[in-house]
Structure formats: structure tokens, C-alpha cells
Amino acid sequence: MRNTVRQAARATVQLAGAVVLAFFSIIFITVLLITAVATLAVVGAGLLPETVLLIRRMAGAKRRAVAAWSGREIPEAYLPIEGPLRERLRTAVRDPGTHADLRWMVAYYGYGCLGFLAVPLWLVGLLVDGVWQGLLGREAVVLPLISRVADLDAAWSTALLKPSPKARLVERVEELTETRAGAIAAHGAELRRIERDLHDGTQARLVALSMRIGLAKRAYERDPEAARKLLDDAQDQAEEALTELRHVVRGIHPPILTDRGLAGAVRALAASSGLDVTVRVDGLEDRHAGAADDGPRPPAAVEAAAYFVVAEALTNAAKHSGAERASVQLVRLPAGLRVVVRDEGRGGADEAGGSGLLGMRRRVAALDGTLLVTSPAGGPTVIEVELPCVW
């Protein structure tokens, strides 16, 4: 009997909150009508976006209440209301999420009063279930109906507040627009880096090489020794230019990825990082000697993104974290690839501090992946990346 009363009390609290929110929604409908009339009269056009934001807060409060009762989150899908007044008005009016919230608010005008049923159910339930369950030991009949009423309120709210397919599509388009802009910015930064490396390094060495060969040609007839020395210097310049070209090529797509696959390339990064790095590979093709994994390889773009994430993370750990040990984990997922890099350093990694995290995030977002950084003060720093792909 005690558990039955406790559950009924919890459901009553949930329904009481629903009644309070319904009361405010009734009042707010009046405010909404006043705002709409004022907007049509142009005088109150600035009120409409703020009113829509208030509706979103009310809907968000109901989503949280339903999630606390049922344990299931109701996702949100809203367009950001920002920018000049005209743009904010357009977004507020056209956002499918606003339409869904308005439908919920109108419907809630009616079913939000379900909570009032808890009062007679308590009066009847304490009497009936007190005898039926408390004295006769039978299963309670009336008080559990309060929980069913709360379930009904949560089910209707979920159906009305969950984003429509159109709202999800609009949100997805906005997300892809943002990630596309980030990918373009990252691509532009990468092109500038390659141009700078070629201009400041390889091009300068090739110019010096050309000059030395020209001097050697002029000196060949009258001073063969000087010409030979110039040719030796030219050969050194050519080798240095080739080394820098290889470095630039590795920055575009490392040849080791093609030769040894992602697992082998990451092992090579770990060996040259200056840290004690442990590499764990699960479900990927691993050409490392003695490796047990012999799974398929991810697409080239996914391999490259994962490789550069590991390279940047290990470089940051070696330079900034003060760590001596790190670990890298590569895991094949049913529909993607997970990369986890962890170092035992001092932590405090900041995306705005020029640590390369922004570039990593843009590279991952360009492939519709996710990047999560956990770096509390005192460490450890964990960078977890998931990249979707088809195996």
C-alpha cells in the first residue's frame, strides 16, 4: 500500500505541474493574440520574436517535465532567432518548431486540465484501495489510475512536441550549412598552409638550386673545382627540396596511410611522438607484424581525418600537456569509426587557445562526425571522435 500511495503522490505532483503550466498557457494565449494583432498593426512587430521565444521556454519546460516522468527525452528542433528584426520575424513565423509549439499550446488548453482528475481519484482511492489493498491484500485499483492519467498527459505531450520531419529537415539543413562553412574555412586554411610551405621552403630552395647550377655552368670551363663544389651544393639543395616536398605531400595525404592503413600509420605516429603511446586497434585492418585484427579499411577520407586527429592530438600532448604517457584507441563501429586519444597530462585544453582543436573539429564536422573534448584542470585530456562511414 505504501508503494502505491508513493507512486500516486509522484503522479499527482507531475499532474499538478501540468495544471500550473496549462493555466499559464491559457493566459499566454491571450498574450499571443494581443501580440499577433499588434504585429499586424506593425506597431508591435518587435514583440513577436520575443513571444515565440517565451513559447519555446514553456514548451521546453513541458519537455523536461515529461522526460522527468517518463525517462524519455523529447528532442528540440528550432531555428535560431537572431539577426535584424526582419530576419527574426521571418524565422519566428516560418520555423516549423513554432508551428508545433502553437499546436501543443492550443491542445494543452484542453488536456492540461487532466490533473484535476487526481483530486476525486485520491478521495475515492484512499477509501477503496485502503480497504481493498490495505485490509484484503488485493492489488490497488483506483490510485494507480492517477499514474495512468500522468502517462496519458506525457504521451499526448510527446506526440505534439516531438519535432516534425520537416522541422528535423530544416535543422539538418542548418547544421550542414554550418559544417560546410567550417569545411570551406578549413580547406582554405589548408591551402594557405600548403602555399606558405611551398613559397617559403621548397620554392626558395629550388630558386637557390637554379642559381647554383647556373653559377656552376659559368665556372665549369675556367674553374672545374669551384663548379664541382657548386654542383655538390646544388645536390644538397635538391635533396632538401625533395624532403620538404615530401613533408608537404604528407600534409595533404600521408603515403603511409596508403601503404600501411590507418592502424599502421597511427602506430608510426605513436612511435615518433616522443611519448610512451599505447595503441589499441579493434576491428580494423592492421598490417602491423603479429597483429590479430584483420578487418576492412574505412574510406580514404575517413582514414585521413582520423590520422590527422591523432597526429594533432599527440602533437598537442607532447608540446603542451606535460604528459609522459598517452593512449590511442581505434574501434570499428557498425556504422562508423571511433578514435579516442587520451593523455595523462595537466589538462585544461582550450579550443580558443590555438591548440588545433578548432581545426580538428572542422575536419571532423566536414565528414558529419562528432568530436568531444574532456580536459579538466589536472587532466586527463580525452579527445573522442566518431566518424560515420559505410564498411
Side-chain angles (χ1 to χ4, degrees), residues 168-198:
R168 289 183 178 274
L169 179 61
V170 171
E171 183 184 37
R172 183 63 175 155
V173 169
E174 289 291 321
E175 179 183 343
L176 290 177
T177 301
E178 183 178 348
T179 56
R180 177 178 176 271
I184 291 173
H187 179 67
E190 189 72 8
L191 287 178
R192 288 191 295 273
R193 181 192 66 80
I194 293 171
E195 181 183 10
R196 184 175 61 252
D197 289 347
L198 290 175

mmCIF file of all heavy atoms in Angstrom, residues 168-198:
data_model
loop_
_atom_site.group_PDB
_atom_site.id
_atom_site.type_symbol
_atom_site.label_atom_id
_atom_site.label_comp_id
_atom_site.label_asym_id
_atom_site.label_seq_id
_atom_site.Cartn_x
_atom_site.Cartn_y
_atom_site.Cartn_z
ATOM 1 N N ARG A 168 12.925 18.592 -38.516
ATOM 2 C CA ARG A 168 14.215 17.905 -38.485
ATOM 3 C C ARG A 168 15.004 18.181 -39.756
ATOM 4 O O ARG A 168 16.234 18.334 -39.726
ATOM 5 C CB ARG A 168 14.007 16.395 -38.307
ATOM 6 C CG ARG A 168 13.533 16.003 -36.910
ATOM 7 C CD ARG A 168 13.416 14.489 -36.794
ATOM 8 N NE ARG A 168 13.014 14.082 -35.463
ATOM 9 C CZ ARG A 168 13.850 13.879 -34.446
ATOM 10 N NH1 ARG A 168 15.159 14.062 -34.640
ATOM 11 N NH2 ARG A 168 13.421 13.496 -33.270
ATOM 12 N N LEU A 169 14.293 18.232 -40.892
ATOM 13 C CA LEU A 169 14.966 18.515 -42.154
ATOM 14 C C LEU A 169 15.540 19.922 -42.158
ATOM 15 O O LEU A 169 16.694 20.139 -42.578
ATOM 16 C CB LEU A 169 13.983 18.333 -43.316
ATOM 17 C CG LEU A 169 14.533 18.627 -44.721
ATOM 18 C CD1 LEU A 169 15.695 17.697 -45.041
ATOM 19 C CD2 LEU A 169 13.437 18.506 -45.771
ATOM 20 N N VAL A 170 14.760 20.890 -41.673
ATOM 21 C CA VAL A 170 15.244 22.274 -41.611
ATOM 22 C C VAL A 170 16.465 22.367 -40.701
ATOM 23 O O VAL A 170 17.465 23.022 -41.028
ATOM 24 C CB VAL A 170 14.118 23.208 -41.123
ATOM 25 C CG1 VAL A 170 14.669 24.604 -40.838
ATOM 26 C CG2 VAL A 170 13.008 23.294 -42.169
ATOM 27 N N GLU A 171 16.396 21.697 -39.541
ATOM 28 C CA GLU A 171 17.532 21.715 -38.608
ATOM 29 C C GLU A 171 18.763 21.081 -39.238
ATOM 30 O O GLU A 171 19.879 21.561 -39.082
ATOM 31 C CB GLU A 171 17.145 20.976 -37.331
ATOM 32 C CG GLU A 171 18.233 21.003 -36.262
ATOM 33 C CD GLU A 171 17.862 20.182 -35.056
ATOM 34 O OE1 GLU A 171 17.231 19.106 -35.239
ATOM 35 O OE2 GLU A 171 18.211 20.580 -33.936
ATOM 36 N N ARG A 172 18.518 19.991 -39.985
ATOM 37 C CA ARG A 172 19.631 19.298 -40.633
ATOM 38 C C ARG A 172 20.276 20.169 -41.707
ATOM 39 O O ARG A 172 21.508 20.198 -41.845
ATOM 40 C CB ARG A 172 19.119 17.996 -41.254
ATOM 41 C CG ARG A 172 20.176 17.137 -41.912
ATOM 42 C CD ARG A 172 21.187 16.679 -40.907
ATOM 43 N NE ARG A 172 22.140 15.757 -41.504
ATOM 44 C CZ ARG A 172 23.359 15.559 -41.042
ATOM 45 N NH1 ARG A 172 23.774 16.220 -39.964
ATOM 46 N NH2 ARG A 172 24.162 14.715 -41.626
ATOM 47 N N VAL A 173 19.447 20.891 -42.452
ATOM 48 C CA VAL A 173 19.980 21.794 -43.475
ATOM 49 C C VAL A 173 20.828 22.879 -42.833
ATOM 50 O O VAL A 173 21.919 23.223 -43.315
ATOM 51 C CB VAL A 173 18.821 22.407 -44.299
ATOM 52 C CG1 VAL A 173 19.331 23.545 -45.164
ATOM 53 C CG2 VAL A 173 18.177 21.338 -45.172
ATOM 54 N N GLU A 174 20.344 23.435 -41.714
ATOM 55 C CA GLU A 174 21.115 24.458 -40.997
ATOM 56 C C GLU A 174 22.440 23.897 -40.509
ATOM 57 O O GLU A 174 23.487 24.538 -40.603
ATOM 58 C CB GLU A 174 20.301 24.985 -39.814
ATOM 59 C CG GLU A 174 19.115 25.844 -40.198
ATOM 60 C CD GLU A 174 19.559 27.179 -40.773
ATOM 61 O OE1 GLU A 174 20.527 27.759 -40.268
ATOM 62 O OE2 GLU A 174 18.942 27.632 -41.755
ATOM 63 N N GLU A 175 22.394 22.678 -39.982
ATOM 64 C CA GLU A 175 23.619 22.045 -39.475
ATOM 65 C C GLU A 175 24.615 21.805 -40.602
ATOM 66 O O GLU A 175 25.816 22.080 -40.470
ATOM 67 C CB GLU A 175 23.254 20.725 -38.793
ATOM 68 C CG GLU A 175 24.450 19.965 -38.240
ATOM 69 C CD GLU A 175 24.048 18.630 -37.646
ATOM 70 O OE1 GLU A 175 22.844 18.424 -37.370
ATOM 71 O OE2 GLU A 175 24.936 17.774 -37.471
ATOM 72 N N LEU A 176 24.116 21.305 -41.739
ATOM 73 C CA LEU A 176 25.010 21.038 -42.868
ATOM 74 C C LEU A 176 25.568 22.336 -43.445
ATOM 75 O O LEU A 176 26.716 22.368 -43.905
ATOM 76 C CB LEU A 176 24.265 20.251 -43.950
ATOM 77 C CG LEU A 176 23.922 18.804 -43.591
ATOM 78 C CD1 LEU A 176 23.120 18.150 -44.702
ATOM 79 C CD2 LEU A 176 25.195 17.996 -43.339
ATOM 80 N N THR A 177 24.748 23.397 -43.434
ATOM 81 C CA THR A 177 25.249 24.692 -43.901
ATOM 82 C C THR A 177 26.403 25.166 -43.031
ATOM 83 O O THR A 177 27.422 25.662 -43.526
ATOM 84 C CB THR A 177 24.114 25.733 -43.882
ATOM 85 O OG1 THR A 177 23.047 25.278 -44.735
ATOM 86 C CG2 THR A 177 24.603 27.080 -44.377
ATOM 87 N N GLU A 178 26.250 24.981 -41.717
ATOM 88 C CA GLU A 178 27.305 25.403 -40.791
ATOM 89 C C GLU A 178 28.565 24.568 -40.971
ATOM 90 O O GLU A 178 29.676 25.096 -41.019
ATOM 91 C CB GLU A 178 26.784 25.296 -39.358
ATOM 92 C CG GLU A 178 27.773 25.781 -38.314
ATOM 93 C CD GLU A 178 27.210 25.697 -36.919
ATOM 94 O OE1 GLU A 178 25.989 25.483 -36.778
ATOM 95 O OE2 GLU A 178 27.985 25.840 -35.963
ATOM 96 N N THR A 179 28.398 23.238 -41.068
ATOM 97 C CA THR A 179 29.575 22.385 -41.219
ATOM 98 C C THR A 179 30.240 22.602 -42.572
ATOM 99 O O THR A 179 31.463 22.497 -42.693
ATOM 100 C CB THR A 179 29.194 20.901 -41.063
ATOM 101 O OG1 THR A 179 28.173 20.562 -42.004
ATOM 102 C CG2 THR A 179 28.697 20.624 -39.665
ATOM 103 N N ARG A 180 29.436 22.913 -43.598
ATOM 104 C CA ARG A 180 30.017 23.196 -44.913
ATOM 105 C C ARG A 180 30.878 24.454 -44.849
ATOM 106 O O ARG A 180 31.977 24.500 -45.412
ATOM 107 C CB ARG A 180 28.903 23.371 -45.940
ATOM 108 C CG ARG A 180 29.391 23.734 -47.338
ATOM 109 C CD ARG A 180 28.212 23.834 -48.306
ATOM 110 N NE ARG A 180 28.634 24.267 -49.621
ATOM 111 C CZ ARG A 180 28.721 25.532 -50.015
ATOM 112 N NH1 ARG A 180 28.415 26.498 -49.149
ATOM 113 N NH2 ARG A 180 29.113 25.844 -51.223
ATOM 114 N N ALA A 181 30.370 25.484 -44.137
ATOM 115 C CA ALA A 181 31.160 26.709 -43.992
ATOM 116 C C ALA A 181 32.458 26.417 -43.241
ATOM 117 O O ALA A 181 33.531 26.935 -43.600
ATOM 118 C CB ALA A 181 30.343 27.767 -43.251
ATOM 119 N N GLY A 182 32.374 25.576 -42.202
ATOM 120 C CA GLY A 182 33.582 25.202 -41.472
ATOM 121 C C GLY A 182 34.543 24.425 -42.335
ATOM 122 O O GLY A 182 35.764 24.614 -42.264
ATOM 123 N N ALA A 183 34.008 23.509 -43.166
ATOM 124 C CA ALA A 183 34.875 22.722 -44.044
ATOM 125 C C ALA A 183 35.567 23.604 -45.078
ATOM 126 O O ALA A 183 36.750 23.424 -45.385
ATOM 127 C CB ALA A 183 34.046 21.638 -44.749
ATOM 128 N N ILE A 184 34.823 24.590 -45.594
ATOM 129 C CA ILE A 184 35.425 25.511 -46.570
ATOM 130 C C ILE A 184 36.521 26.335 -45.907
ATOM 131 O O ILE A 184 37.595 26.545 -46.486
ATOM 132 C CB ILE A 184 34.337 26.421 -47.178
ATOM 133 C CG1 ILE A 184 33.400 25.600 -48.073
ATOM 134 C CG2 ILE A 184 34.962 27.556 -47.968
ATOM 135 C CD1 ILE A 184 32.213 26.368 -48.587
ATOM 136 N N ALA A 185 36.250 26.796 -44.669
ATOM 137 C CA ALA A 185 37.275 27.559 -43.949
ATOM 138 C C ALA A 185 38.511 26.700 -43.688
ATOM 139 O O ALA A 185 39.648 27.162 -43.848
ATOM 140 C CB ALA A 185 36.698 28.086 -42.636
ATOM 141 N N ALA A 186 38.284 25.446 -43.278
ATOM 142 C CA ALA A 186 39.416 24.553 -43.018
ATOM 143 C C ALA A 186 40.180 24.268 -44.303
ATOM 144 O O ALA A 186 41.425 24.218 -44.306
ATOM 145 C CB ALA A 186 38.917 23.250 -42.394
ATOM 146 N N HIS A 187 39.444 24.094 -45.399
ATOM 147 C CA HIS A 187 40.098 23.832 -46.686
ATOM 148 C C HIS A 187 40.923 25.038 -47.118
ATOM 149 O O HIS A 187 42.056 24.897 -47.598
ATOM 150 C CB HIS A 187 39.031 23.505 -47.732
ATOM 151 C CG HIS A 187 39.582 23.239 -49.096
ATOM 152 N ND1 HIS A 187 40.368 22.146 -49.389
ATOM 153 C CD2 HIS A 187 39.468 23.935 -50.263
ATOM 154 C CE1 HIS A 187 40.712 22.171 -50.661
ATOM 155 N NE2 HIS A 187 40.177 23.241 -51.219
ATOM 156 N N GLY A 188 40.353 26.249 -46.930
ATOM 157 C CA GLY A 188 41.102 27.452 -47.280
ATOM 158 C C GLY A 188 42.355 27.606 -46.440
ATOM 159 O O GLY A 188 43.417 27.978 -46.958
ATOM 160 N N ALA A 189 42.238 27.311 -45.135
ATOM 161 C CA ALA A 189 43.420 27.391 -44.266
ATOM 162 C C ALA A 189 44.479 26.373 -44.688
ATOM 163 O O ALA A 189 45.681 26.655 -44.663
ATOM 164 C CB ALA A 189 43.002 27.160 -42.813
ATOM 165 N N GLU A 190 44.013 25.180 -45.094
ATOM 166 C CA GLU A 190 44.960 24.150 -45.532
ATOM 167 C C GLU A 190 45.665 24.560 -46.820
ATOM 168 O O GLU A 190 46.881 24.369 -46.983
ATOM 169 C CB GLU A 190 44.198 22.834 -45.744
ATOM 170 C CG GLU A 190 45.078 21.628 -45.991
ATOM 171 C CD GLU A 190 45.810 21.173 -44.742
ATOM 172 O OE1 GLU A 190 45.523 21.686 -43.649
ATOM 173 O OE2 GLU A 190 46.695 20.310 -44.882
ATOM 174 N N LEU A 191 44.924 25.169 -47.752
ATOM 175 C CA LEU A 191 45.539 25.644 -48.990
ATOM 176 C C LEU A 191 46.563 26.746 -48.717
ATOM 177 O O LEU A 191 47.644 26.771 -49.325
ATOM 178 C CB LEU A 191 44.458 26.159 -49.950
ATOM 179 C CG LEU A 191 43.578 25.107 -50.631
ATOM 180 C CD1 LEU A 191 42.528 25.787 -51.500
ATOM 181 C CD2 LEU A 191 44.420 24.151 -51.477
ATOM 182 N N ARG A 192 46.222 27.641 -47.793
ATOM 183 C CA ARG A 192 47.179 28.706 -47.445
ATOM 184 C C ARG A 192 48.432 28.138 -46.793
ATOM 185 O O ARG A 192 49.540 28.618 -47.031
ATOM 186 C CB ARG A 192 46.492 29.725 -46.519
ATOM 187 C CG ARG A 192 45.464 30.597 -47.230
ATOM 188 C CD ARG A 192 45.021 31.751 -46.352
ATOM 189 N NE ARG A 192 44.312 31.298 -45.159
ATOM 190 C CZ ARG A 192 43.009 31.070 -45.113
ATOM 191 N NH1 ARG A 192 42.264 31.229 -46.202
ATOM 192 N NH2 ARG A 192 42.435 30.681 -44.000
ATOM 193 N N ARG A 193 48.244 27.110 -45.962
ATOM 194 C CA ARG A 193 49.404 26.482 -45.335
ATOM 195 C C ARG A 193 50.306 25.828 -46.385
ATOM 196 O O ARG A 193 51.537 25.966 -46.353
ATOM 197 C CB ARG A 193 48.953 25.427 -44.325
ATOM 198 C CG ARG A 193 50.105 24.742 -43.597
ATOM 199 C CD ARG A 193 49.625 23.515 -42.837
ATOM 200 N NE ARG A 193 49.146 22.470 -43.715
ATOM 201 C CZ ARG A 193 49.945 21.624 -44.357
ATOM 202 N NH1 ARG A 193 51.271 21.734 -44.242
ATOM 203 N NH2 ARG A 193 49.435 20.691 -45.124
ATOM 204 N N ILE A 194 49.698 25.120 -47.348
ATOM 205 C CA ILE A 194 50.482 24.470 -48.395
ATOM 206 C C ILE A 194 51.204 25.520 -49.236
ATOM 207 O O ILE A 194 52.395 25.371 -49.565
ATOM 208 C CB ILE A 194 49.555 23.591 -49.270
ATOM 209 C CG1 ILE A 194 49.020 22.417 -48.452
ATOM 210 C CG2 ILE A 194 50.300 23.080 -50.495
ATOM 211 C CD1 ILE A 194 47.942 21.627 -49.157
ATOM 212 N N GLU A 195 50.468 26.594 -49.576
ATOM 213 C CA GLU A 195 51.088 27.669 -50.363
ATOM 214 C C GLU A 195 52.258 28.291 -49.608
ATOM 215 O O GLU A 195 53.324 28.558 -50.179
ATOM 216 C CB GLU A 195 50.038 28.734 -50.687
ATOM 217 C CG GLU A 195 50.583 29.886 -51.523
ATOM 218 C CD GLU A 195 49.543 30.963 -51.771
ATOM 219 O OE1 GLU A 195 48.475 30.909 -51.141
ATOM 220 O OE2 GLU A 195 49.807 31.859 -52.583
ATOM 221 N N ARG A 196 52.076 28.506 -48.297
ATOM 222 C CA ARG A 196 53.146 29.100 -47.494
ATOM 223 C C ARG A 196 54.356 28.173 -47.413
ATOM 224 O O ARG A 196 55.506 28.605 -47.541
ATOM 225 C CB ARG A 196 52.618 29.407 -46.097
ATOM 226 C CG ARG A 196 53.617 30.128 -45.204
ATOM 227 C CD ARG A 196 52.983 30.514 -43.876
ATOM 228 N NE ARG A 196 52.514 29.352 -43.133
ATOM 229 C CZ ARG A 196 51.237 29.026 -42.957
ATOM 230 N NH1 ARG A 196 50.292 29.790 -43.484
ATOM 231 N NH2 ARG A 196 50.886 27.950 -42.291
ATOM 232 N N ASP A 197 54.088 26.865 -47.217
ATOM 233 C CA ASP A 197 55.194 25.909 -47.136
ATOM 234 C C ASP A 197 55.959 25.839 -48.451
ATOM 235 O O ASP A 197 57.198 25.781 -48.466
ATOM 236 C CB ASP A 197 54.669 24.518 -46.774
ATOM 237 C CG ASP A 197 54.198 24.439 -45.330
ATOM 238 O OD1 ASP A 197 54.509 25.377 -44.569
ATOM 239 O OD2 ASP A 197 53.516 23.462 -44.967
ATOM 240 N N LEU A 198 55.210 25.860 -49.570
ATOM 241 C CA LEU A 198 55.881 25.801 -50.876
ATOM 242 C C LEU A 198 56.653 27.093 -51.148
ATOM 243 O O LEU A 198 57.770 27.051 -51.680
ATOM 244 C CB LEU A 198 54.845 25.560 -51.972
ATOM 245 C CG LEU A 198 54.204 24.166 -52.005
ATOM 246 C CD1 LEU A 198 53.106 24.122 -53.057
ATOM 247 C CD2 LEU A 198 55.251 23.094 -52.306
#
